Structures are given as C-alpha cells and as structure tokens.
Amino acid sequence: MKNKESHSKAPIYEALMEYKKARVVSFDVPGHKQGRGNAMLREFLGEQCLSVDVNSMKPLDNLCHPVSVIKEAEELAADAFGSKHAFLMVNGTSSSVQAMVMSVCKKGEKIIMPRNVHRSAINALVVSGAVPVYVNPGVNKELGIPLGMSVKDVERAIKENPDAKAVLVNNPTYYGICSNLKDITELAHKHGMYVLVDEAHGTHFYFGDNMPMSAMEAGADMAAISMHKTGGSLTQSSFLLLNCDLSVGYVRQVINLTQTTSGSYLLMSSLDLARRDLVLHGTETFKKVIEFAEYARDEINKIGGYYAFSEELIDGDTIYDFDRTKLSIFTRGIGLAGIEVYDILRDDYGIQIEFGDIANILAIISVGDKSLAIERLISSLSEIKRLYSKDKAGMFDHEYINPEVVLTPQDAFYSPKISVPMNESDKKICAEFVMCYPPGIPILAPGEKITKEILDYIDYAKEKGCFLTGTEDAKIENINIVSKSINN
C-alpha cells in the first residue's frame, strides 16, 4: 500500500466541493436543481446533500468510462484493498456479484459454487445462462446453519467438472463462517479456473488486525466488497476488486451491461470517503468493534439458553475461520425462532437487528455503536428469555436443505410455466425463487425440484413470521412451476 498520506485524498469528494464553490447554474438533470424544486425533499435530506446530487460532467468524470477523478478514486481503492483494479459500484453488491460471474462465464459454461449463495449469484446465472455445479456446504446440525465449503468437496467438483470456468466462494457467510479460501484458490488455479469471492460481509478483513484472510490476500481473481455493510459508505455502494489477467476495459463493459449510466455522486463520494477513513483509521476502528462483539457474546452466553457462537466452532475444514465481529446468536434454546426474537426486539424494545431466521439472529456491530446500546441489547435479550421462553419441542432444527437441480436457472426461469397453489407443487420443478429476506439465500431457485421437506420449511418460516420474497405471487400462496410437459 502507498503511504497513508496519499490516502488522505478523496478525489470525488474534493471535485464535488470545487463544483459547489463554482456556483454553476444548472440546466441539466437531476430536475430538483440542488433541491430548489422540492421543498419537502430539501427539508428531509438537507440542502448540503442535494447540492451534490448531480449529473456526470467533465469536471466530475463519468462512472461508465472514468478518466479523471473517478479513475483516481478507483486507483486509491485498488491500493487500499491490494488489488490490481477496483471498480466503484452503485447498483449494490448484487451488481458486483453478477459482474464477476458474467465476466468469466458465458452461456452454457460451468461455475462451481456453494448452494447457499445470495440470490444475486443465481440471478447472474439466469441472465448469463451459465450452469451451476453446486457444492453443498457443510451443515452444523445443532445450530441449523450452512457452513463453508470443504476443500475436498471443491476438489471433487473440480475433478468431475474439469471444464468449469470458475469457483465462487462465500466468505464470510452471513453468520461469520469462513472457508479455507487460500487452499480453494490454489486448487482452482492449478486447474485453470478463476476464483470469485462474494466478500459482501468481509470489508473489515482488509483493515483490521487478526482478521480472517481476505480474498486478495488469498490470491483470488475477483471479489465483491459490500462497503456499506461494515465499511461505512452509503447503502447500495460497493467495490468490485479485480486481481487477475482479465482486461479492465472488458470487465467494465460487463458492469455497464447492468449498472446505471447515471451513477449517484452521493454513493460514489461515500465510497471515496469511506476508503479514506478505513485506510487512515481502520485498525483502531475494528479493534473497537471486536471488543464490543466479544463483550456482548460473553454477556449473552451468561444469560443461558442463548448461544452466541464464535471461534470455538473452528474445525479446520467447513469452519476454517470465524469473523469475530459477527454477533450471531442461536435462539432455539429458549424455545423461540430467531425471527420471533427479531420481531420482539423491534416491536417491544425498539431494537433493530440485521436478521432473524428460524434458529438464529444476527446483530451487526460497528464503530457507530456505543456501549450503552450494547448493554441495552444484552438486557433486552435477558428479559425476552424471562418473559417469552418456552419448550422447544416441535421446532424446525435446520436452516439448509440440499436441493435437487433438474434444469439450469436460465432454462427454468424462461421456460413455459404455470402457477399452482404452493401445497400442490410437490415433486414439480420450480420456475422462480422463494427466499427469506434477509439474508436473501434462496430456499428454492429456478430449476430445482420442489419437495415436501422444502414445502414444510416454507410453511414453518411463514408461521414464524419470516419475510418471504421471490415469487410472482406477492402473498407467497402460489408458485410458478415449469409446465407439465417438462415436469413429466
């Protein structure tokens, strides 16, 4: 990395400040004209914010083809993350994941990936026509959560599919589980395959001390970095890191297939400023975050019934490492699904956590948290146990069901299909997604066989209050299946 002084620059932010000083009269978009056209919007977001919600112009560069300040911001970001190039992304990390896949896989080409990927990875397959080779992740049956990929399972998939173009790895998972990224990368490279890492929840790996290995350190070819999750930028802003021989220009062409031509300067400047802050202060920032998370974990485990898990799960294989900043808490021990605890925390205690599934909750801890807020979370969980705990008999005991893939996602999604009641879809081929959001990992994806076990899981998730999405039917009562001629 360059010396820290060079990272004190924030070229996009600085260009926006110069633009403001120039008092330019605007006859371009956006039409609110620095907020003058909408008083309520100006009052809500503030004049300072709206004054820099501007259009691309020569002094501010162009995200689709950067040549000046955006190009300089990308170079600083690449240096900060240790990659050959970094692209500023304003369509979310979903767009970054899709660009990774579409940069290395064409229609009909195979990509090896875990099935517990975010929907964005499978969306990339629907759009591109690439063919998934799923490696079922390990499963912790006590916690009911999917884990990382075993190196042996990846090796088996590579040997059975030597023509695959790439291996995609989730690292870390939503729960903080890390795979053996270095060995998987070396194995894939040995067989001429690219390694793509969905590192949406791992921004801090690059800036904190004693963190799990980052994708760039492991030698991966591309990584999607969700800066807004733990890096301090605005929601929907992201980086796509490139670290291989692919042409920067070609990858940008792929990005431009789906990313907006009207890149938000609010999002881009937030990436610029967040990168600056992480390089200058990231070590102390994440030291504090880990201290908060470790303290909360210890205190929650003293309550009893809950299990805030951490490094003790490491087994050198499907749990190769653990992200200690993640406060993942198993709740089934008090007889409540994670989503039930999630709802009680929000509705009764005014605490919004990241997500709840059928057995766990996740609280995101960041430098923006204060000791008092951590104490409030701990005491609220203690009181929830006292007031709401019940017998855990009859609770669903697993979060992940291995799917049976019958058709490629693209073939299934675009096939002739019919809508049937969910309870009449057993043994049919799914033609759309069903998932709880967050985290957005599909329970069913296009091309997968629907089974009674999966339908029971969906019913249970509904009963417990999970927010289900993905189906054309907004009520999630009907599901699109591939039409009868193909099903038979």
Side-chain angles (χ1 to χ4, degrees), residues 188-403:
H189 284 170
K190 184 179 171 184
H191 289 84
M193 299 177 189
Y194 290 104
V195 176
L196 316 177
V197 183
D198 180 349
E199 210 168 19
H201 291 270
T203 303
H204 46 290
F205 289 4
Y206 292 86
F207 303 100
D209 284 336
N210 301 314
M211 294 284 182
M213 182 176 286
S214 71
M216 294 300 100
E217 188 182 354
D221 298 293
M222 300 179 83
I225 305 287
S226 200
M227 263 306 255
H228 69 91
K229 286 186 169 68
T230 58
S233 65
L234 291 178
T235 297
Q236 201 177 305
S237 59
S238 170
F239 283 121
L240 174 58
L241 306 182
L242 178 65
N243 198 40
C244 62
D245 57 359
L246 285 172
S247 157
V248 171
Y250 174 69
V251 175
R252 197 179 303 281
Q253 286 179 328
V254 172
I255 291 169
N256 288 341
L257 291 175
T258 56
Q259 181 157 261
T260 179
T261 56
S262 303
S264 165
Y265 279 86
L266 297 176
L267 297 183
M268 286 189 280
S269 59
S270 81
L271 284 169
D272 204 17
L273 290 168
R275 179 269 315 155
R276 177 186 183 278
D277 193 62
L278 287 177
V279 173
L280 299 180
H281 309 295
T283 303
E284 55 266 37
T285 292
F286 293 116
K287 181 175 182 288
K288 181 180 175 184
V289 169
I290 287 177
E291 287 171 358
F292 275 156
E294 296 283 27
Y295 171 75
R297 226 183 323 268
D298 289 345
E299 293 300 308
I300 290 165
N301 284 333
K302 288 175 188 175
I303 296 170
Y306 299 106
Y307 175 31
F309 48 90
S310 185
E311 292 174 307
E312 71 279 357
L313 296 179
I314 291 172
D315 62 7
D317 187 24
T318 52
I319 311 174
Y320 186 75
D321 207 344
F322 188 82
D323 175 10
R324 291 180 297 147
T325 71
K326 296 285 186 298
L327 184 56
S328 302
I329 306 164
F330 178 69
T331 64
R332 209 170 62 228
I334 63 166
L336 294 178
I339 187 62
E340 292 176 305
V341 176
Y342 170 100
D343 286 340
I344 294 167
L345 280 169
R346 183 195 60 242
D347 296 343
D348 295 358
Y349 295 90
I351 294 173
Q352 181 63 57
I353 57 173
E354 175 66 11
F355 82 89
D357 57 32
I358 65 167
N360 302 272
I361 58 174
L362 172 66
I364 296 290
I365 310 294
S366 81
V367 71
D369 287 306
K370 303 293 181 188
S371 298
L372 191 61
I374 302 292
E375 296 292 355
R376 183 173 164 184
L377 173 63
I378 295 163
S379 63
S380 298
L381 288 172
S382 179
E383 195 167 310
I384 288 170
K385 180 196 171 186
R386 181 174 64 82
L387 295 175
Y388 297 97
S389 62
K390 56 188 178 183
D391 193 305
K392 61 183 179 180
M395 297 190 74
F396 230 86
D397 65 354
H398 58 284
E399 187 67 33
Y400 174 77
I401 300 170
N402 290 342

Side-chain angles (χ1 to χ4, degrees), residues 124-139:
L125 308 181
V126 171
V127 173
S128 69
V131 178
V133 175
Y134 290 130
V135 173
N136 286 317
V139 176

Side-chain angles (χ1 to χ4, degrees), residues 454-470:
I454 290 170
L455 293 173
D456 287 345
Y457 179 92
I458 291 170
D459 283 343
Y460 185 83
K462 278 184 182 177
E463 177 194 326
K464 292 300 183 183
C466 289
F467 181 62
L468 289 168
T469 71

